[in-house]
């Protein structure tokens, strides 16, 4: 409980600094209250948020929403077009597309969120250390980020996944371990900016250990930019997972993911004659990526302390 | 300038050696090898061992690394595990198609993004600006495999305007017109994904420059829009764009993996996928090495171009 208070205070400090000259009678409203108000007013962002929430709910309740099991084969309907029984048709072995799509949402969203959580943990830790300690630790960490950033992303992801073996877990691992440099840079910049400020000196004078100063007093200030980067990162991770699975090097069948549901469409026959097989999965990827990007844009605007209400 | 170039090129050597080593390590960590994949599972372990010895797969790690490096320096990249062809030949014949595809789409992306991005920065909230943000979204939210499939579905299956894949029509002499017909769809897909990022960058960097004092002065002198934008603003807003162009060079070569796969374009991206699926490590290492070299060259080119665009930047 106490920790949370410190985090919020940390933010107030920053936001007040940004607009200290404004004597706003509504000063009492909390930083987060303002952020939420701004976000909700941002029409595209709010729409994106609602769509995203629906997708997440659909993923959570997939087993109850699905008309059929994701692996159940209907021996009377192989590659059948949409009908009352199968609203989006069936694939070439008679599995219901709608049910597979709903279950695939779980996989694809989990990969997006899981790999970004990993990104953020590694990025925050290394960025914090690099910024706070400086010197050799800083140089080493920054060289590593530059190395990772200088490889063509998909190529290195492909090679690593093929070596570890394609699986859901390995896809999350590889995407998570290659995506952190950006977060690391953001956190480092914020820590560098703040570490000479009075509140840090005060904390040091109070005898608070470095580790605690870093994690409780400095890192939380990097939360707004990290949240925005993580949001955009989730969309990128979802697309990367879909691309890998599309090539057959991501989530392995029979488990459905949005990407591997499009794999069959690489054959011209399927592409032309069974659009219900690949179109919905592709559209879902686009819708998910768009909504997440809108949410990211909205968050960036809403969290910007320089903007007044 | 030439001293700067020489120093930069010399620094590239240890970096490259480091990259070859990491590359070799990663690929040797892989479980299973080409022998497991190419031989019928019924073949006895003894026979597999003979095959492994013939391919030199049983030697210790460092022996294989130095062996590979020695041959690399002589210009020999080894032989493909999958087809037994020399890797240099296998990769070499894929370079041109990739360069054609990547080069044309990158040029097209910049040719469209520069005027559009500048126009949207000069007139925010105009229709050009909305078009720009729409195209920008396509880049971040439209995966190439999906746009590729949709284009094939619409333009080659429904309307039959363009071929669905390959580089030349089979059994025909295949002149320039044939090549262009095959290029339209993959170029469209790649341009659409690349243009988004470039547009956003051109717009934001131009906006940034237009806010500067010397631009206000230029307006105050009564200069026409053309001169303010092209003489005073453009050069300054080009710097971040050049950085990105340099960074995108390797993506142009290696990043079209999926587009090449979807359109069966016989380039390096498609070869990457084939090499991964057949665990053809010599080919894969050559491709990775080539990508790494391109990254280094791209960064160097960008640094040199800074000096051309901005005379304030000097190299000693």
């Amino acid at each position: 409980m106490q920790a949370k208070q410190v985090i919020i205070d940390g933010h107030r400090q920053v936001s007040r600094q940004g607009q200290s000259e404004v004597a706003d009678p509504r000063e009492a409203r909390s930083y987060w209250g303002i952020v939420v108000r701004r976000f909700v007013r941002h029409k595209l962002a709010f729409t994106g948020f609602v769509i995203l929430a629906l997708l997440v709910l659909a993923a959570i309740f997939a087993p109850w929403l699905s008309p059929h099991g994701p692996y159940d084969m209907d021996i009377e309907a192989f590659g059948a077009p949409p009908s009352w029984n199968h609203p989006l048709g069936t694939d070439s072995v008679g599995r219901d597309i709608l049910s597979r799509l709903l279950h695939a949402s779980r996989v694809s969203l989990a990969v997006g969120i899981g790999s970004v959580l990993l990104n953020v943990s590694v990025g925050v830790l290394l960025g914090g250390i690099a910024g706070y300690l400086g010197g050799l630790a800083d140089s080493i960490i920054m060289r590593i980020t530059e190395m990772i950033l200088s490889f063509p992303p998909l190529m290195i992801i492909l090679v690593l996944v093929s070596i570890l073996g394609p699986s859901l877990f390995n896809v999350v691992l590889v995407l998570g371990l290659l995506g952190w440099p950006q977060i690391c840079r953001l956190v480092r910049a914020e820590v560098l900016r703040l570490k000479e400020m009075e509140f840090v000196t005060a904390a040091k004078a109070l005898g608070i250990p470095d580790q605690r100063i870093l994690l409780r007093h400095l890192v939380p200030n990097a939360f707004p930019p990290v949240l925005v980067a993580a949001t955009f990162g989730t969309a990128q991770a979802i697309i990367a997972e879909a691309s890998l699975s599309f090539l057959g090097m991501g989530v392995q069948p029979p488990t459905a993911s949005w990407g591997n549901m499009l794999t069959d469409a690489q054959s011209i026959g399927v592409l032309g004659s069974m659009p219900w097989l690949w179109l919905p999965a592709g559209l879902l990827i686009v819708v998910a990526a768009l909504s997440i990007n809108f949410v990211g844009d909205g968050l960036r605007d809403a969290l910007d302390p320089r903007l007044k209400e | 300038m030439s001293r700067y170039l020489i120093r930069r090129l010399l620094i590239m050597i240890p970096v490259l050696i480091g990259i070859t080593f990491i590359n070799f390590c990663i690929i040797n960590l892989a479980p299973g090898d080409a022998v497991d994949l190419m031989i019928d599972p019924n073949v006895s372990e003894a026979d597999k061992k003979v095959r492994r010895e013939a391919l030199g797969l049983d030697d210790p790690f460092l022996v294989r690394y130095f062996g590979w490096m020695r041959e690399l320096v002589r210009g020999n990249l080894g032989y493909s595990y999958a087809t037994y062809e020399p890797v240099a030949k296998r990769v070499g014949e894929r370079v041109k198609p990739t360069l054609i595809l990547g080069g044309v789409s990158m040029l097209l992306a910049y040719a469209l993004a520069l005027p559009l991005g500048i126009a949207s920065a000069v007139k925010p909230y105009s229709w050009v600006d909305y078009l720009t943000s729409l195209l920008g979204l396509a880049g971040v939210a439209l995966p190439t495999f999906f746009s590729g499939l949709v284009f094939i579905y619409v333009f080659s299956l429904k309307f039959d305007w363009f071929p669905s894949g390959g580089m030349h029509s089979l059994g025909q002499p295949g002149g320039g017109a044939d090549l262009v017909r095959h290029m339209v769809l993959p170029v469209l897909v790649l341009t659409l994904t690349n243009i988004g990022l470039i547009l956003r960058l051109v717009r934001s960097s131009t906006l940034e420059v237009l806010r500067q004092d010397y631009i206000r002065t230029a307006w105050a002198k009564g200069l026409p829009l053309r001169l303010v934008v092209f003489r005073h603003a453009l050069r300054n807003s080009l710097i971040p764009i050049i950085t990105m162009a340099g960074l995108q060079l390797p993506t142009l070569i290696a990043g079209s993996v999926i587009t090449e796969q979807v359109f069966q374009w016989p380039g390096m991206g498609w070869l990457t996928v084939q090499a991964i699926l057949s665990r053809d490590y010599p080919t894969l290492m050559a491709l990775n090495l080539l990508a790494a070299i391109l990254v280094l060259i791209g960064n160097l080119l960008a640094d040199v171009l800074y000096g051309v665009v901005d005379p304030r930047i000097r190299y000693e």
Side-chain angles (χ1 to χ4, degrees):
Chain A
M1 205 54 232
Q2 209 191 347
K4 201 165 182 184
Q5 196 57 45
V6 174
I7 292 174
I8 292 168
D9 282 343
H11 283 300
R12 277 221 188 115
Q13 217 155 5
V14 172
S15 60
R16 273 197 197 136
Q17 259 165 8
Q19 38 187 260
S20 52
E21 72 284 0
V22 187
D24 194 336
R26 292 169 296 179
E27 179 73 17
R29 186 177 289 146
S30 76
Y31 173 71
W32 287 107
I34 296 172
V35 167
V36 169
R37 274 174 61 99
R38 282 192 196 151
F39 184 80
V40 172
R41 279 190 200 156
H42 196 303
K43 278 187 204 131
L44 270 180
F46 192 65
T47 315
F49 178 77
V50 171
I51 293 174
L52 202 59
L54 288 176
L55 278 177
V56 171
L57 285 177
I60 293 172
F61 295 106
W64 293 277
L65 292 170
S66 304
H68 304 271
Y71 308 115
D72 294 349
M73 296 179 228
D74 184 343
I75 44 168
E76 285 166 17
F78 291 139
S83 63
W84 280 112
N85 192 18
H86 302 287
L88 289 174
T90 62
D91 66 10
S92 47
V93 288
R95 295 175 299 197
D96 184 59
I97 298 282
L98 178 62
S99 313
R100 284 182 71 71
L101 265 184
L102 285 165
H103 283 83
S105 322
R106 298 184 136 192
V107 173
S108 296
L109 292 173
V111 170
I113 294 166
S115 55
V116 165
L117 283 180
L118 202 57
N119 278 339
V120 170
S121 329
V122 178
V124 164
L125 196 69
L126 291 181
I129 292 173
Y132 196 67
L133 293 184
L136 186 65
D138 186 29
S139 317
I140 294 175
I141 292 173
M142 292 326 283
R143 289 302 88 71
I144 298 175
T145 61
E146 280 162 20
M147 260 174 60
I148 294 182
L149 285 174
S150 70
F151 272 104
L154 189 64
M155 188 137 173
I156 190 86
I157 292 173
L158 270 174
V159 170
L160 284 179
V161 167
S162 74
I163 280 165
L164 293 171
S167 75
L168 180 60
F169 178 76
N170 286 341
V171 170
V172 175
L173 195 69
V174 169
L175 291 179
L177 290 182
L178 286 176
W180 57 267
Q182 202 200 351
I183 307 266
C184 176
R185 288 181 157 193
L186 287 172
V187 175
R188 175 177 173 272
E190 195 69 12
V191 171
L192 277 179
R193 187 172 72 83
L194 294 174
K195 76 173 175 181
E196 306 298 339
M197 290 196 140
E198 283 89 349
F199 71 94
V200 178
T201 318
K204 275 186 184 154
L206 284 170
I208 296 174
D210 278 350
Q211 183 192 341
R212 197 178 157 90
I213 293 178
L214 182 61
L215 292 180
R216 294 272 160 85
H217 296 256
L218 289 173
V219 165
N221 284 300
F223 185 73
V226 167
L227 183 64
V228 173
T231 312
F232 289 126
T234 310
Q236 285 164 5
I238 286 176
I239 288 187
E241 179 276 320
S243 309
L244 282 176
S245 301
F246 171 75
L247 290 175
M249 274 170 263
V251 176
Q252 296 295 299
T255 307
S257 91
W258 290 339
N260 72 21
M261 290 182 73
L262 281 119
T263 309
D264 287 343
Q266 285 191 60
S267 109
I268 292 290
V270 172
L271 183 69
S273 60
M274 297 163 70
W276 61 88
L277 199 81
W278 54 273
L279 204 54
L283 285 176
L284 260 186
I285 297 171
V286 174
V287 167
L290 269 183
S291 338
I292 295 173
N293 274 293
F294 286 147
V295 170
D297 277 339
L299 279 176
R300 185 174 49 203
D301 293 349
L303 289 167
D304 190 344
R306 284 173 302 180
L307 286 177
K308 287 171 218 141
E309 208 170 332
Chain B
M1 185 68 189
S2 58
R3 275 185 61 193
Y4 171 79
L5 266 182
I6 291 169
R7 206 177 67 222
R8 282 291 302 262
L9 287 171
L10 284 179
I11 294 175
M12 275 161 82
I13 295 171
V15 174
L16 263 180
I17 293 176
I19 289 171
T20 58
F21 189 72
I22 294 172
N23 201 350
F24 202 83
C25 288
I26 292 177
I27 278 164
N28 276 279
L29 288 174
D33 57 38
V35 176
D36 289 328
L37 211 78
M38 68 194 180
I39 288 184
D40 179 341
N42 299 322
V43 171
S44 73
E45 275 305 314
D47 286 344
K48 277 193 192 175
K49 195 167 172 348
V50 172
R51 201 57 177 271
R52 283 205 178 93
E53 272 165 20
L55 287 168
L57 290 172
D58 274 350
D59 296 336
F61 176 77
L62 279 177
V63 173
R64 275 179 298 149
Y65 174 66
F66 284 115
W68 183 68
M69 278 300 278
R70 197 174 53 232
E71 293 302 312
L72 181 69
V73 174
R74 290 185 195 153
N76 177 5
L77 288 162
Y79 294 87
S80 158
Y81 286 173
T83 60
Y84 302 105
E85 288 171 292
V87 168
K89 175 174 167 277
R90 215 167 168 234
V91 174
E93 64 195 20
R94 301 300 189 102
V95 171
K96 209 176 111 195
T98 294
L99 282 182
I100 295 177
L101 183 63
V104 170
S105 59
M106 201 55 90
L107 280 180
L108 195 62
Y110 277 95
L112 288 172
L114 280 172
L116 274 178
I118 292 170
S120 69
V122 172
K123 286 202 170 148
Y125 307 109
S126 62
W127 65 268
V128 183
D129 197 20
Y130 286 115
L131 179 69
T132 300
S133 26
L134 201 69
L135 279 173
L137 283 173
V140 291
L142 201 59
T144 44
F145 58 88
F146 185 56
S147 53
L149 290 178
V150 170
F151 286 167
I152 293 177
Y153 182 70
V154 175
F155 297 114
S156 31
L157 296 180
K158 291 291 147 190
F159 291 114
D160 200 19
W161 287 347
F162 301 107
S164 64
M167 202 173 161
H168 299 286
S169 305
L170 286 175
Q172 281 175 26
D178 186 50
L179 178 64
V180 169
R181 261 169 49 81
H182 280 86
M183 277 175 68
V184 172
L185 294 183
V187 163
L188 211 59
V189 167
L190 276 179
T191 309
L192 205 56
T193 39
N194 289 329
I195 201 171
L197 203 60
I198 308 174
L199 266 178
R200 282 189 170 198
L201 195 70
V202 173
R203 183 178 184 273
S204 65
S205 84
T206 309
L207 269 179
E208 186 69 37
V209 170
L210 286 179
R211 248 182 261 144
Q212 302 291 322
D213 287 341
Y214 57 83
I215 296 293
R216 192 179 308 140
T217 311
W219 285 122
K221 285 196 296 185
L223 290 184
L225 180 93
R226 177 173 49 87
L227 283 182
V228 174
V229 172
F230 291 102
R231 180 159 306 164
H232 293 259
L234 183 63
R235 268 191 142 185
N236 291 293
S237 60
L238 277 180
I239 293 178
I241 299 161
I242 288 171
T243 317
M244 191 158 76
L247 289 176
Q248 273 188 336
L249 186 72
T251 324
L252 176 148
I253 307 298
S256 48
V257 174
I258 289 175
T259 311
E260 289 189 1
Q261 166 84 11
V262 168
F263 289 97
Q264 311 275 294
W265 186 265
M268 289 163 60
W270 193 21
L271 184 63
T272 307
V273 177
Q274 289 171 328
I276 286 173
L277 288 177
S278 57
R279 291 188 194 153
D280 185 356
Y281 298 133
T283 308
L284 207 51
M285 278 192 288
L287 286 166
N288 271 351
L289 191 64
L290 202 59
I293 293 173
L294 285 167
V295 170
L296 294 175
I297 294 178
N299 288 341
L300 182 63
L301 269 182
D303 283 350
V304 170
L305 273 178
Y306 288 146
V308 176
V309 174
D310 188 346
R312 283 170 304 181
I313 300 172
R314 282 168 177 265
Y315 307 104
E316 87 293 358

